Amino acid sequence: MKNALPRAAAACLAILGLGLGLGLAGANAQAENYPARTITMVVPFAAGGPTDTVARLVAQSMGTRLRQQIIIENVAGAGGTIGAARVAKSAPDGYTIFLHHIGHATAPALYRKLSYNAIDSFEPIGLVTDVPMTVVARKDFPARDMKEFLAYVKANKDKVSYANAGVGSASHLCGMLLMTAIDTNLTTVPYKGTGPAMNDLLGGQVDFMCDQTTNTTSQIRGGKIKAYAVTTKARLATMPDLPTLNEASLPGFDVAVWHGMYAPRGTPKATVDALSDALRVALKDPVVKQRFADLGTEPVADERARPEALRVYLKSEIDRWAPIIAKAGIYAD
């Protein structure tokens, strides 16, 4: 009898070990077989906008590498936070991923209540691209250049309307910083994405907006809207005649929109690595590089399209924008 207990304990340990072994084997098999079905990439803005454009270009090439289709799901609203919350709550199995821009770093300062943590709720996959922004207006806006634009806006602040993709979006932040720089409050018209905002700008329902080159380049080249300036410190190689805001008496104004890709927290490292590998291959795809160039941007360097690079950069951007947003007094519920 005195050996019964040890034998029972040994049996329990054996069963436990078998269970753990099977569990680990199952997890390894899942990682080895990934991806076994279609992947959903959530874009937290409406279809047709600049982030949506970047996502669709990258998703197609990544899908080829992974030998599975990556479909885009647009979950718009609240400056991208609705889509972010959706992914944060998704199963960490690599079949729901997320592409967001700089708004992922500004949300913690902009929103008093978030149902997720911008850092802790996600596994970084890698950076994708840095996109300059442009100040553009309806085709018949009266100002001929940026100097006249600023003078007109200040003189007609009660009449001029500014479109953006919603509170917390890159276009909203850019516009708020511009208004702060010129000490002028304007009528703001929020949309659920820059796609709908651009449609109304083309139709003349709003006066101007600050938007990414991925959404404005073709419209500028087609003469459908007026372009006044680029928000980065250097001029664009694709539109060298477009001055910077620094050259338009707004020194220090420098805003570019970076895009990052994430998975829900707890996604296996092997799965994250597979996605990151597919992303880096996609960013070297000649078709992707050419389409990015056509849109006034380019893929990030290979070392930045990695999980740890995005993790470090996201933290630095959260730290960078928090005091700027606080000083500008920009908040959302």
Side-chain angles (χ1 to χ4, degrees):
M1 290 294 294
K2 63 180 181 180
N3 293 327
L5 184 59
R7 284 199 299 269
C12 288
L13 288 173
I15 293 171
L16 179 60
L18 178 61
L20 288 173
L22 289 173
L24 289 173
N28 290 335
Q30 182 180 2
E32 291 175 1
N33 293 331
Y34 177 83
R37 54 187 170 86
T38 299
I39 300 167
T40 296
M41 182 184 292
V42 171
V43 174
F45 303 103
T51 302
D52 181 72
T53 299
V54 169
R56 291 178 189 277
L57 285 173
V58 173
Q60 184 173 356
S61 186
M62 285 180 66
T64 300
R65 172 69 175 182
L66 293 167
R67 297 183 179 180
Q68 285 290 347
Q69 183 182 16
I70 300 179
I71 62 171
I72 302 299
E73 181 180 356
N74 298 96
V75 184
T81 61
I82 293 176
R86 152 103 155 73
V87 175
K89 296 174 183 176
S90 297
D93 55 11
Y95 291 101
T96 301
I97 58 177
F98 177 51
L99 190 142
H100 199 354
H101 58 41
I102 187 176
H104 193 54
T106 59
L110 281 165
Y111 290 86
R112 293 181 174 88
K113 294 180 181 179
L114 286 177
S115 63
Y116 61 89
N117 183 288
I119 295 177
D120 295 339
S121 298
F122 303 92
E123 301 289 351
I125 295 171
L127 284 155
V128 180
T129 184
D130 293 305
V131 185
M133 301 189 80
T134 49
V135 177
V136 295
R138 54 183 168 82
K139 185 177 180 180
D140 57 350
F141 199 74
R144 292 173 297 179
D145 55 33
M146 194 63 200
K147 188 174 182 179
E148 285 190 8
F149 175 88
L150 293 176
Y152 183 89
V153 164
K154 289 181 179 180
N156 297 274
K157 61 182 181 180
D158 296 329
K159 301 177 183 178
V160 174
S161 57
Y162 172 75
N164 64 56
V167 175
S169 65
S171 55
H172 171 249
L173 183 63
C174 180
M176 293 297 101
L177 291 177
L178 179 60
M179 288 183 234
T180 299
I182 63 177
D183 193 26
T184 303
N185 290 322
L186 304 170
T187 300
T188 301
V189 184
Y191 292 81
K192 288 186 177 181
T194 45
M198 176 59 74
N199 287 337
D200 275 7
L201 185 70
L202 291 168
Q205 281 81 28
V206 288
D207 292 314
F208 84 101
M209 64 189 297
C210 181
D211 198 11
Q212 302 171 55
T213 55
T214 45
N215 199 38
T216 62
T217 298
S218 62
Q219 309 291 2
I220 293 170
R221 289 175 174 167
K224 297 179 180 180
I225 55 176
K226 278 187 177 180
Y228 289 100
V230 61
T231 63
T232 48
K233 290 183 178 179
R235 293 195 179 198
L236 303 178
T238 53
M239 291 184 282
D241 295 332
L242 192 62
T244 69
L245 283 173
N246 281 272
E247 295 170 317
S249 302
L250 293 178
F253 201 105
D254 184 17
V255 178
V257 182
W258 54 270
H259 293 80
M261 192 176 294
Y262 312 82
R265 186 59 178 260
T267 301
K269 183 179 183 302
T271 300
V272 172
D273 288 345
L275 288 163
S276 181
D277 174 70
L279 172 62
R280 296 198 311 276
V281 170
L283 296 183
K284 296 173 186 175
D285 185 335
V287 174
V288 172
K289 293 176 72 173
Q290 183 58 56
R291 286 290 291 120
F292 273 14
D294 292 342
L295 296 169
T297 186
E298 60 184 17
V300 298
D302 184 79
E303 61 270 18
R304 296 184 70 206
R306 296 173 183 269
E308 189 56 31
L310 176 53
R311 189 187 310 278
V312 172
Y313 191 68
L314 174 61
K315 177 63 167 60
S316 70
E317 284 289 275
I318 289 174
D319 293 342
R320 174 196 177 198
W321 284 102
I324 295 174
I325 291 169
K327 184 178 180 180
I330 310 170
Y331 297 105
D333 294 327

